[in-house]
């Protein structure tokens, strides 16, 4: 009875790929931040407009918001609710149902460990345990310096390569713990 | 676009072709094995040898033998090379002009290839998925033309019924009947949905089809739309499949440009458009009512059926939902007739089935075999068994909804009926081989963990039954279980199976029930020894802090 | 027929079930004619749980090592063990500490965070029993023969449960009068 | 309006086509256990307590969402149904923190009633003791998630009858919980009209009036049905 007790914890969320604009916004200084965010809201508005502000487009719009902002912060959800004329609780309910939507910012880099059956049979859980030990975080968490998020995926569909991982959108197969840790270090060094 | 233009398009493509083509696989398996470096090597060799006018280097989708990537195919000699390295690229290019290479030639006489009968995968290794011209060149969109100009919608439905095709997503409902039900609904707005939310861990058939041959799926959907009277289709796919989405988006754009989608297709009165909807990480959205909620921007909660989508689906309109592989079978059935399709396979199960062969098996990959092929042929002959002389213990089909077939039943043919009888299911096509080292209780626990995390939480048996089932399995696999726990496990499994609202919960206990059936001793071996038993001994003894 | 060897046990609970037992008033006199009270905080002075007990009412949940030791002894030496009241059946109020996590976090909350003065853990080995990490219902620890929920079970329910046992019959635990929680 | 006739536990019933098996059972004065069903609200078929056996159909079907058909032969009580329903109750008790002794709804709780109806004298499955919160930010009401069984009656009553849609379900699976607004304190949600319909709809003590203490909550569940019918038929007298 340990981790399961927290209603807020999502188990092994699959993770959005981070967009270029997200990285950019992190680097931007405070002065340009406001402008930057206005531009992002505009992009979101465009998407809503393209869907004729129809409530049914909620998931499409949240995809766009996640891509644009990196995660779904409260103001963004409010903006979407207003734009699509939806109750706040409905928007929140949908945003938290789907594992690809994140209400918290993720790390600069992501390492996804595939936990599908084929990978499991070939030792993915041991691999994950080693990575958790190496990074000092649990699956679904981000290191305290915000550098890297460790995530689990249900199945990335490359079962022939089990066990497989995805570091910053690049798939690598037939992994050993040492190989993956090296790749993570390389990614962090960039 | 009319039929002459279609033929002209195919001819043009034929004329455009250079005398030699070298195809390299761009699917995830080969790419992570180094296919990109191989491609660069091939292109460099062509450039260096000034062979641009003679040899074309072109990408294709998955060629199937993922275990031995990167795969390269040379045309027109049709020689397959396995495990090609960048260093070997130049010598492979040289074979076009009689040169020699030390790249390993794939043995096309091997059962892995010989026992296959590609229908869904008929264009495997033959077309660049990003070019509609290549699809047209191999006969693409001719079935759509045939349906629209030579057949009535009722005739198309009739061919589908004759074919005996059953839903390839796992349910196995006769596709023709489903089409007929939707077709018979009163005219008005209807929809066609392609379920590409392939979520079973260990399955990648649909991803491969969408990545390698997206037009075939679109063509199948358009024919379905014509048959049932729908003008709007949706493909609902996973965000985890970016390449499939990209190829599909491109394919839709091209199909619109060449008017295979749009208004008055082939000059008929039939209009059809296709939109993509991208999931956001929820296995339960593979369930058809959950999927429709998701398309409508809601939480992916299933609802009780009836009403079935055929009567009341998307936006309460009659809706036809089939999966990717089912739609991929449509064009060949229309082209060759339902009787032809029905002549393949067995009495119970017609046609072929695509499987993703993975786990402890030498030749992991994607295969398409006629129904009735035995599991033994697939695992031992095609797959070359467990690597390093290991012994097969069981084959798992159907993922978290399926069951394990023990090694002594491997002579079972791949058929809906036969697999169901064994407590396994056909499923969508994931086939995972387990060797002697695999602990079956652990496998059951793994699948239950999956279901526990993927249950939507709407109905009680599935939301909390999966949690209790998981905890029981966890307790047993840690050696803390009692005989009573095993009994409880079985009872609760039946309850969750019979009481849950949708397919996820109704099938979630299958991995437990099938391992209890065939590997009960493994459960019993894990129970507390009688010496530990003092009634039910408490598991956590005193654990007070050291003050 | 010899007298029924009868016991009552008080584990982690508020003693309210025992108070309700005493509320049976004059029926207690009738009960006394049929039973020998061989162990009970309200009916006997014996310090050790004897062998060969026929019926035992167990009030309270299993919260510490003493509870654990006693319930295992009770189970071994008792024919019919009755989970007596909600704490025994569900862990009830004592079980609410389980939501805080293990014993350490419970003690930290109770004796450090919420203490006004003298912040320290109670520690007197052999006298203050150590807490279990989780408070458990009785049937999670040992097999139970009859469940009598209620907080406390009303006197009539206790009587309706015991009376058939005195005649050698099992009580029927059904309906609002017999199994309502709370 | 066409009428269909069917049998419920051997009793012949005639009822308007399009009615549910649940409504037909009511017509036949047969009690079917239920928790998520509430007259006047849409049906969701999620608690699964009202599943029944129908002759000729090899699946158990929920009475609340299954339409009556001519000649249907419905069985609402059988040893199997009783056993499965009891397991559902055990799972519900084990999933939250249902401490009846200290609950506002003690004695007036549908969860408690159902436990009695299915003969649950204890749970065979261990209680999970989840760490759940209570929200007392509203001036008049409180919500204690420990007592919530996720029947979604509050969500539906607020959306369908009051039209405020304060509530919805967030997260998924075992982490599902009822959420107000953007997971804000209930008292901060602008849309709430403090109408109290969710209090009346709640089958347990999860949503309550703040001045009620143990055993004092008396929900008026029929009020919602009355209200719906009053609006439909313009009958404003109970």
């Amino acid at each position: 009875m340990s981790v399961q007790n927290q209603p807020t914890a999502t188990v092994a969320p699959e993770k959005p790929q981070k967009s270029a604009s997200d990285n950019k916004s992190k680097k931007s200084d405070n002065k340009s931040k406001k402008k930057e965010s206005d531009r992002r809201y505009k992009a979101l508005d465009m998407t809503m407009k393209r869907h004729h502000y129809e409530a049914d487009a909620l998931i499409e719009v949240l995809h766009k918001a996640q891509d644009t902002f990196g995660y779904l912060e409260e103001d963004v959800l409010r903006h979407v609710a207003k734009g699509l004329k939806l109750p706040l609780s409905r928007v929140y309910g949908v945003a938290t149902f789907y594992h690809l939507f994140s209400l918290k910012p993720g790390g600069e880099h992501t390492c996804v460990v595939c936990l599908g059956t084929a990978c499991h049979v070939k030792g993915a859980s041991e691999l994950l345990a080693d990575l958790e030990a190496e990074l000092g975080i649990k699956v679904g968490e981000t290191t305290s310096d915000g550098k890297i998020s460790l995530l689990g995926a249900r199945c990335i569909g490359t079962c022939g390569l089990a066990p497989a991982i995805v570091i910053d959108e690049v798939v690598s197969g037939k992994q050993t713990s040492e190989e993956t840790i090296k790749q993570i270090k390389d990614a962090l060094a960039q | 676009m009319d039929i002459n233009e279609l033929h002209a398009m195919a001819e043009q493509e034929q004329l455009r072709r250079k005398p030699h083509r070298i195809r390299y696989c761009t699917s995830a398996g080969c790419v992570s094995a180094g296919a990109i470096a191989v491609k660069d090597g091939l292109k460099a060799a062509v450039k260096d040898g000034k062979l641009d006018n003679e040899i074309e280097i072109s990408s294709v989708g998955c060629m199937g033998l993922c275990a031995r990537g990167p795969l390269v195919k040379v045309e027109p000699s049709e020689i397959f090379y396995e495990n090609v390295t960048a260093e070997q690229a130049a010598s492979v290019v040289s074979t076009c002009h009689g040169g020699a290479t030390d790249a390993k030639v794939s043995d096309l006489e091997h059962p892995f290839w010989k026992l296959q009968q590609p229908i869904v995968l008929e264009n495997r290794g033959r077309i660049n998925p990003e070019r509609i011209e290549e699809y047209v060149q191999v006969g693409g969109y001719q079935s759509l033309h045939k349906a629209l100009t030579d057949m009535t919608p009722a005739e198309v439905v009739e061919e589908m019924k004759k074919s005996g095709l059953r839903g390839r997503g796992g349910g196995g409902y006769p596709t023709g009947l489903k089409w007929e039900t939707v077709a018979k609904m009163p005219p008005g707005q209807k929809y066609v949905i392609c379920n590409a939310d392939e979520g079973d861990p260990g399955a990648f058939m649909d991803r491969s089809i969408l990545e390698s041959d997206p037009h075939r799926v679109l063509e199948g959907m358009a024919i379905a739309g014509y048959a049932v009277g729908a003008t709007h289709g949706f493909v609902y796919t996973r965000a985890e499949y970016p390449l499939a989405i990209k190829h599909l988006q491109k394919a839709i754009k091209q199909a619109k440009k060449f008017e295979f989608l749009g208004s008055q297709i082939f000059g008929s009165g039939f209009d059809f458009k296709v939109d993509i909807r991208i999931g956001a990480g929820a296995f339960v959205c593979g369930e058809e009512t959950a999927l429709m909620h998701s398309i409508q921007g809601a939480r992916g909660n299933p609802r009780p059926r009836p009403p079935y989508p055929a009567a009341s689906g998307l936006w309460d309109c009659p809706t036809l939902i089939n999966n990717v592989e089912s739609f991929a079978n449509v064009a060949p059935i229309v082209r060759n007739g339902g009787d032809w399709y029905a002549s393949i396979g067995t009495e119970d199960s017609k046609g072929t089935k695509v499987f993703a062969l993975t786990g402890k098996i030498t030749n992991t990959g994607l295969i398409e075999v006629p129904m009735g092929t035995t599991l033994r042929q697939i695992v031992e002959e095609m797959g070359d068994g467990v690597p390093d002389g290991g012994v097969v213990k069981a084959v798992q089909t159907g993922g978290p909804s399926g069951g394990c077939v023990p090694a002594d039943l491997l002579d079972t043919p791949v058929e809906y009926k036969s697999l169901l009888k064994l407590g396994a299911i056909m499923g969508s096509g994931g086939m995972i081989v387990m060797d002697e080292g695999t602990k079956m209780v652990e496998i059951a626990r793994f699948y239950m963990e999956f279901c526990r995390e993927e249950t939507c939480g709407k109905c009680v048996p599935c939301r909390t039954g999966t949690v209790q089932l998981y905890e029981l399995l966890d307790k047993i696999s840690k050696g803390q279980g009692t005989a009573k726990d095993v009994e409880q496990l079985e009872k609760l499994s039946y309850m969750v199976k019979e009481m849950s609202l949708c397919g996820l919960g109704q099938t979630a206990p299958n991995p437990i029930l099938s391992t209890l059936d065939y590997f009960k001793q493994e459960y019993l071996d894990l129970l507390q020894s009688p010496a530990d038993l003092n009634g039910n001994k408490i598991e956590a003894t005193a654990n007070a802090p050291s003050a | 027929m010899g007298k029924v060897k009868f016991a009552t046990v008080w584990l982690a609970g508020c003693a309210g079930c025992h108070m309700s037992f005493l509320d049976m008033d004059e029926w207690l006199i009738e009960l006394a004619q049929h039973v020998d009270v061989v162990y009970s905080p309200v009916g006997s002075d014996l310090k050790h749980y004897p062998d060969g007990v026929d019926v035992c009412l167990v009030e309270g949940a299993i919260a510490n090592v003493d509870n654990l030791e006693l319930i295992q002894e009770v189970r071994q030496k008792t024919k019919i063990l009755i989970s007596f009241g909600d704490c025994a059946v569900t862990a009830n109020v004592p079980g609410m500490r389980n939501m805080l996590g293990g014993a350490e976090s419970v003690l930290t909350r109770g004796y450090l965070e919420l203490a006004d003065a003298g912040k320290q853990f109670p520690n007197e080995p052999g006298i203050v029993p150590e807490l279990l990490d989780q408070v458990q219902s009785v049937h999670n620890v040992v097999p139970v023969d009859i469940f009598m929920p209620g907080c406390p079970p009303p006197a009539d329910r206790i009587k309706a449960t015991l009376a058939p046992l005195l005649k050698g019959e099992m009580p029927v635990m059904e309906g609002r009068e017999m199994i309502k929680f709370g | 309006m066409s009428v269909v006739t069917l049998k419920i536990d051997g009793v012949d019933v005639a009822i308007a086509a399009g009615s549910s098996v649940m409504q037909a059972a009511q017509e036949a004065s047969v009690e079917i256990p239920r928790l998520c069903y509430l007259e006047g609200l849409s049906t969701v078929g999620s608690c699964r307590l009202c599943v029944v056996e129908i002759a000729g159909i090899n699946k158990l079907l929920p009475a609340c969402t299954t339409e009556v058909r001519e000649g249907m032969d419905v069985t609402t009580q059988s040893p199997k149904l009783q056993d499965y329903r009891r397991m559902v109750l055990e799972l519900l008790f084990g999933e939250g923190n249902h401490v009846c002794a200290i609950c506002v709804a003690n004695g007036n709780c549908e969860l408690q009633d159902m436990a009695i109806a299915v003969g649950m004298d204890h749970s065979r499955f261990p209680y999970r003791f989840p760490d759940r919160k209570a929200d007392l930010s509203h001036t008049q009401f409180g919500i204690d998630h420990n007592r919530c069984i996720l029947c979604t009656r509050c969500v539906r009553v607020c959306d369908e009858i009051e039209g405020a849609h304060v509530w919805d379900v967030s997260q998924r699976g075992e982490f599902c919980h009822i959420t107000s607004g953007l997971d804000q304190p209930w008292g901060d949600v602008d849309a709430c009209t403090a109408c109290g319909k969710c209090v009346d709809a709640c089958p347990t003590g999860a949503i309550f009036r703040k001045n009620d203490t143990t055993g004092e909550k008396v929900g008026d569940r029929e009020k919602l049905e009355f209200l719906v019918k009053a609006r439909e038929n313009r009958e404003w007298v109970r």
Side-chain angles (χ1 to χ4, degrees):
Chain A
M1 227 169 288
S2 50
V3 292
Q4 273 74 30
N5 287 344
Q6 291 157 338
T8 47
T10 42
V11 180
E14 295 169 55
K15 219 352 249 241
Q17 275 111 28
K18 282 168 56 68
S19 68
S21 63
D22 181 43
N23 284 336
K24 220 187 283 167
S25 74
K26 275 210 175 108
K27 283 174 203 149
S28 66
D29 57 42
N30 279 336
K31 240 186 242 170
S32 64
K33 203 165 185 183
K34 179 83 174 104
K35 205 170 149 197
E36 173 88 26
S37 89
D38 286 349
R39 197 179 57 71
R40 291 186 293 171
Y41 278 107
K42 241 178 214 150
L44 193 55
D45 289 342
M46 291 281 285
T47 303
M48 291 198 274
K49 193 175 174 191
R50 204 174 64 242
H51 289 280
H52 312 292
Y53 298 97
E54 275 179 24
D56 291 339
L58 178 57
I59 292 174
E60 308 290 298
V61 172
L62 290 178
H63 268 305
K64 181 69 188 175
Q66 171 100 26
D67 277 352
T68 314
F69 291 84
Y71 71 104
L72 302 174
E73 50 187 290
E74 196 183 312
D75 283 350
V76 173
L77 291 177
R78 253 175 217 287
H79 188 80
V80 170
K82 204 172 168 196
L84 301 182
K85 299 190 169 54
L86 280 170
L88 292 175
S89 55
R90 162 87 195 278
V91 173
Y92 187 83
V94 170
T96 54
F97 183 87
Y98 295 97
H99 282 175
L100 286 186
F101 297 136
S102 171
L103 275 67
K104 284 190 213 118
E108 277 175 47
H109 299 274
T110 54
C111 173
V112 182
V113 180
C114 179
L115 299 172
T117 321
C119 291
H120 179 79
V121 170
K122 292 205 171 167
S125 29
E126 291 80 9
L127 174 66
L128 181 63
D130 288 344
L131 297 186
E132 286 179 338
E134 172 73 21
L135 296 171
I137 49 173
K138 290 273 166 211
V139 64
E141 293 177 353
T142 303
T143 50
S144 54
D145 59 2
K147 283 285 182 198
I148 185 159
S149 301
L150 181 62
L151 304 154
R154 286 271 60 107
C155 179
I156 57 171
T158 55
C159 311
L161 299 171
I165 57 149
V166 189
I167 293 179
D168 294 340
E169 300 182 35
V170 180
V171 182
S172 311
K174 299 180 181 166
Q175 290 290 295
T176 63
S177 301
E178 295 71 41
E179 283 166 5
T180 310
I181 288 167
K182 184 174 175 301
Q183 287 192 57
I184 289 175
K185 284 183 177 156
D186 290 348
L188 290 176
Q190 273 170 22
Chain B
M1 177 70 66
D2 60 25
I3 190 66
N4 295 328
E5 286 170 317
L6 187 62
H7 288 312
M9 193 174 162
E11 263 164 49
Q12 260 174 24
E13 172 61 18
Q14 189 61 37
L15 290 173
R16 190 200 60 80
R17 289 199 167 174
K18 298 168 189 174
H20 303 277
R21 275 173 311 283
I22 301 181
R23 307 282 205 178
Y24 63 96
C25 172
T26 51
S27 278
C30 287
V31 166
S32 63
I36 300 301
V38 172
K39 172 195 79 175
D40 293 342
L42 292 169
K43 288 204 162 159
V46 169
K47 199 174 164 208
D48 293 349
K50 300 202 168 48
L51 299 165
D52 281 326
N53 291 327
E54 289 174 51
I55 304 177
E56 179 185 337
I57 306 296
S58 155
S59 67
V60 287
C62 180
M63 295 198 271
L65 190 48
C66 307
R68 307 211 191 144
L71 299 171
V72 168
K73 189 180 131 205
V74 179
E75 289 174 358
S77 66
E78 299 288 324
I79 294 174
F80 260 101
Y81 295 99
E82 308 171 351
N83 297 122
V84 180
T85 63
E87 292 72 37
Q88 292 167 330
S91 64
V92 170
V93 170
S94 76
T95 62
C96 293
H97 295 97
T101 177
D102 60 345
K104 186 170 180 295
V105 176
S106 193
D107 173 15
L108 296 179
E109 294 300 310
H110 188 282
F112 182 86
W113 302 109
K114 268 302 200 202
L115 293 178
Q116 293 202 45
Q117 184 171 358
I119 293 174
V120 168
L121 305 177
E122 64 187 348
N123 294 336
R124 164 152 96 185
R126 293 172 70 204
I127 60 168
N128 177 345
E130 296 185 75
R131 296 192 62 239
I132 191 172
E133 295 85 354
E134 300 202 21
Y135 181 67
V136 168
Q137 196 269 326
V138 294
Y141 288 111
Q142 291 194 11
S143 296
L144 177 61
H145 178 267
K146 180 179 175 187
L148 295 188
T149 53
D150 298 348
M151 298 166 84
T152 65
E155 282 167 354
V156 177
V157 169
E158 197 50 38
E159 286 307 315
M160 290 308 291
K161 280 171 73 182
K162 263 197 238 165
S163 75
L165 176 67
R166 294 170 64 175
R168 294 293 191 243
Y173 188 81
T175 307
L177 279 184
K178 209 187 242 183
W179 288 31
E180 187 174 45
T181 313
V182 181
K184 281 187 174 160
M185 288 291 149
Q189 183 70 59
K190 296 178 187 177
Y191 294 98
V192 170
I193 298 175
C194 173
N195 184 347
D197 192 48
E198 178 177 59
D200 284 8
F204 53 95
M205 302 75 51
D206 296 348
R207 176 181 63 83
S208 250
I209 296 167
L210 288 174
E211 284 178 4
S212 315
D213 202 359
H215 285 287
R216 147 183 302 265
V217 179
L218 296 178
E219 186 175 3
M221 288 177 72
I223 294 171
Y226 173 72
V228 304
T231 55
H232 194 173
F234 288 94
V235 181
Y236 185 92
T237 189
R238 310 175 67 203
E240 291 90 333
Y241 286 176
L243 191 64
I245 295 169
K246 187 181 145 207
H247 285 184
L248 200 56
Q249 279 168 336
K250 208 162 181 179
I252 291 174
K253 216 168 161 184
Q254 293 168 342
K256 273 197 215 159
K257 184 178 158 205
F258 288 96
E259 298 171 359
F260 301 122
L261 292 176
S263 329
Q264 306 193 339
I265 301 169
F266 285 118
S268 71
F270 175 61
D271 306 342
F272 196 70
K273 64 171 177 177
V274 175
D275 284 316
I276 303 179
R277 285 287 178 272
I278 297 166
F283 173 72
V284 68
C285 288
E287 198 278 341
E288 56 186 21
T289 60
L291 186 153
M292 293 188 303
H293 284 147
S294 189
I295 288 182
Q296 293 177 229
R299 292 166 61 84
N301 286 337
R303 60 156 175 80
R305 298 178 306 181
Y308 286 89
S312 174
L314 217 45
W315 293 289
D316 299 328
C317 298
T319 302
L320 174 74
I321 303 192
N322 282 135
N323 97 321
V324 172
E325 190 181 336
S326 303
F327 280 123
N329 271 305
V330 172
I333 290 172
V334 169
R335 186 197 318 141
N336 301 324
D339 291 332
W340 161 80
Y341 194 82
S343 70
I344 302 161
T346 68
E347 190 52 43
D348 168 73
S349 309
K350 310 290 188 195
T352 59
K353 178 79 194 86
V354 180
F355 288 103
L357 192 55
T358 60
K360 296 288 176 73
I361 182 120
T362 309
N363 297 331
T364 54
L366 198 70
I367 56 167
E368 181 174 0
V369 291
M371 293 283 190
T373 307
T374 67
L375 289 169
R376 190 178 303 285
Q377 283 175 304
I378 294 176
V379 172
E380 294 183 356
E381 294 180 35
M382 303 179 77
D384 270 342
V386 179
D388 307 323
V391 180
V392 177
K393 179 178 191 174
V395 175
Q396 213 278 352
T397 62
S401 320
C404 294
V405 178
D408 55 354
L409 294 173
L410 282 186
D411 288 318
T412 307
V414 167
E415 272 187 324
Y416 289 97
K417 191 177 61 185
S418 313
L419 288 172
L420 203 60
K421 216 161 77 189
L422 298 182
I425 58 167
M426 175 75 76
S428 58
M431 191 179 277
I432 295 150
V433 179
M434 293 161 186
D435 69 356
E436 284 292 337
T438 312
K439 299 187 177 87
M440 301 316 277
V441 180
E442 172 57 27
I443 291 297
R445 193 185 71 102
F446 168 78
Y447 279 121
M448 195 46 66
E449 184 176 21
F450 178 88
C451 293
R452 168 188 185 162
E453 287 169 13
E454 293 299 334
T455 169
C456 77
K458 179 175 174 176
C459 80
V460 182
C462 185
R463 178 179 74 229
T464 154
T466 53
V467 173
Q468 294 282 359
L469 286 172
Y470 173 82
E471 294 294 338
L472 280 166
L473 286 166
D474 194 48
K475 189 175 170 193
I476 294 166
S477 64
K478 283 183 180 147
Q480 294 161 349
T482 64
K484 207 171 151 194
D485 290 326
V486 176
E487 189 189 314
Q488 207 77 270
L489 183 73
E490 190 167 1
K491 265 192 181 166
L492 184 56
S493 290
Y494 281 113
M495 183 278 220
V496 172
K497 195 176 162 80
E498 288 201 66
M499 294 283 276
S500 291
L501 191 157
C502 83
L504 194 156
Q506 287 161 10
T507 58
N510 283 354
I512 297 179
L513 291 169
S514 97
T515 47
L516 274 175
D517 256 0
Y518 298 116
F519 302 98
K520 185 146 194 186
Q521 195 54 43
E522 289 194 31
Y523 284 87
L524 301 181
D525 288 346
L526 281 167
L527 299 186
Q528 287 180 345
S529 59
D532 299 339
L533 280 177
N534 182 5
N536 288 9
K537 197 174 174 189
I538 194 160
E539 69 181 62
T541 46
N543 197 353
S546 42
Chain C
M1 197 170 87
K3 279 190 167 183
V4 173
K5 283 173 109 180
F6 180 75
T8 74
V9 165
W10 180 25
L11 305 174
C14 69
C17 299
H18 274 86
M19 297 303 115
S20 192
F21 177 81
L22 296 178
D23 276 347
M24 290 196 292
D25 300 336
E26 69 276 11
W27 197 74
L28 287 171
I29 296 164
E30 195 183 328
L31 179 68
Q33 288 165 359
H34 292 91
V35 302
D36 271 335
V37 182
V38 293
Y39 186 91
S40 170
V42 294
S44 160
D45 229 5
L46 293 176
K47 296 285 176 273
H48 295 287
Y49 196 85
D51 285 325
V53 175
D54 293 307
V55 176
C56 179
L57 288 171
V58 177
E59 175 191 342
I62 316 298
N64 61 34
V65 287
D66 279 7
N67 300 154
L68 182 60
E69 205 177 302
L70 181 54
I71 194 64
Q72 280 166 344
E73 189 180 2
V74 167
R75 181 66 276 182
Q76 274 169 9
K77 297 177 173 175
T78 310
K79 234 184 265 167
I80 296 175
L81 192 162
I82 303 174
S83 244
F84 178 34
D86 281 355
C87 294
V89 178
T90 73
N92 202 28
V93 175
M96 290 173 75
R97 79 154 157 93
N98 291 351
M99 302 157 205
L100 286 176
E104 172 118 33
S105 44
V106 170
L107 290 173
T108 303
R109 183 83 181 135
Y111 288 93
L112 302 184
E113 289 171 16
L114 295 177
D116 294 325
K119 296 182 188 233
Q120 62 169 49
F121 285 159
N123 180 30
E124 200 59 63
I127 296 178
V128 181
E130 287 179 11
L131 294 186
L132 299 175
D133 253 351
Q134 293 277 294
V135 182
Q136 309 244 12
S137 63
V138 173
H139 67 277
N140 270 8
V141 183
V142 297
V144 165
D145 304 298
I146 295 170
F147 296 88
M148 192 204 310
C151 187
D156 286 346
R157 187 179 299 173
I158 305 172
K159 183 178 154 187
T161 307
L162 291 179
L165 288 171
L166 299 180
K167 290 188 259 170
E169 295 162 10
M170 287 297 272
V172 180
M173 306 305 287
E174 270 175 15
R176 183 169 287 270
E177 299 310 313
M178 295 305 282
I179 59 168
K180 178 185 161 291
F181 289 98
Chain D
M1 201 193 307
S2 66
V3 167
V4 297
T5 54
L6 67 159
K7 262 191 173 41
I8 301 209
D9 290 344
V11 180
D12 286 312
V13 200
I15 195 164
S19 305
S20 67
V21 172
M22 179 72 86
Q23 287 163 327
Q26 266 158 1
E27 197 68 29
S29 304
V30 172
E31 277 287 318
I32 300 180
R34 84 284 293 269
L35 277 171
C36 66
Y37 177 84
L38 187 63
E39 193 69 42
L41 300 182
S42 63
T43 54
V44 287
S46 68
C47 77
R48 314 305 286 172
L49 275 181
C50 73
V51 290
V52 294
E53 294 167 1
I54 297 172
I57 296 177
N58 63 358
K59 273 170 76 172
L60 304 175
L61 289 173
C64 66
T65 61
T66 304
E67 249 184 57
V68 291
R69 288 259 184 285
E70 184 61 39
M72 236 182 200
D73 186 359
V74 180
T75 306
T76 72
Q77 295 288 342
S78 73
K80 180 160 107 174
L81 286 174
Q82 185 78 356
D83 190 36
Y84 281 178
R85 286 175 185 153
R86 175 174 167 168
M87 276 196 236
V88 168
L89 257 302
E90 291 174 12
L91 292 176
L92 279 174
F93 269 88
E95 177 187 46
N97 294 305
H98 298 283
V99 188
C100 299
I102 55 158
C103 179
V104 290
N106 188 9
N108 185 34
C109 169
E110 291 178 51
L111 184 68
Q112 221 174 22
D113 296 345
M114 287 305 130
I116 295 163
V118 302
M120 174 188 156
D121 58 0
H122 75 288
S123 170
R124 290 163 286 182
F125 306 108
Y127 283 21
R128 314 246 335 120
F129 299 107
D131 181 19
R132 293 186 179 176
K133 302 281 177 277
D135 177 358
L136 296 172
S137 61
H138 198 282
T139 51
Q140 296 177 44
F141 315 118
I143 176 166
D144 183 345
H145 295 283
N146 290 292
R147 301 167 184 157
C148 176
I149 56 168
L150 291 166
C151 67
T152 68
R153 285 184 187 178
C154 55
V155 177
R156 285 174 282 151
V157 77
C158 187
D159 178 50
E160 296 167 13
I161 300 185
E162 179 60 14
H165 205 118
V166 170
W167 304 108
D168 212 314
V169 181
S170 63
Q171 304 289 347
R172 80 154 91 127
E174 66 197 280
F175 303 112
C176 274
H177 57 101
I178 300 293
T179 300
S180 41
L182 274 185
D183 205 23
Q184 303 151 277
W186 184 1
D188 292 353
V189 178
D190 298 329
C192 179
T193 62
C195 71
K197 289 189 186 70
C198 53
V199 182
D200 282 336
C202 180
T204 70
I207 306 183
F208 51 89
R209 286 173 210 282
K210 272 171 135 177
N211 51 6
D212 284 345
T213 64
T214 304
E216 287 183 356
K217 173 177 169 177
V218 184
D220 185 357
R221 291 174 191 117
E222 285 76 34
K223 184 163 178 181
L224 302 170
E225 190 186 347
F226 158 72
L227 192 58
V228 172
K229 292 203 170 140
R231 287 179 185 172
E232 276 173 10
N233 308 337
R234 315 204 67 70
E235 287 167 11
W236 301 99
V237 183
R238 255 178 128 167

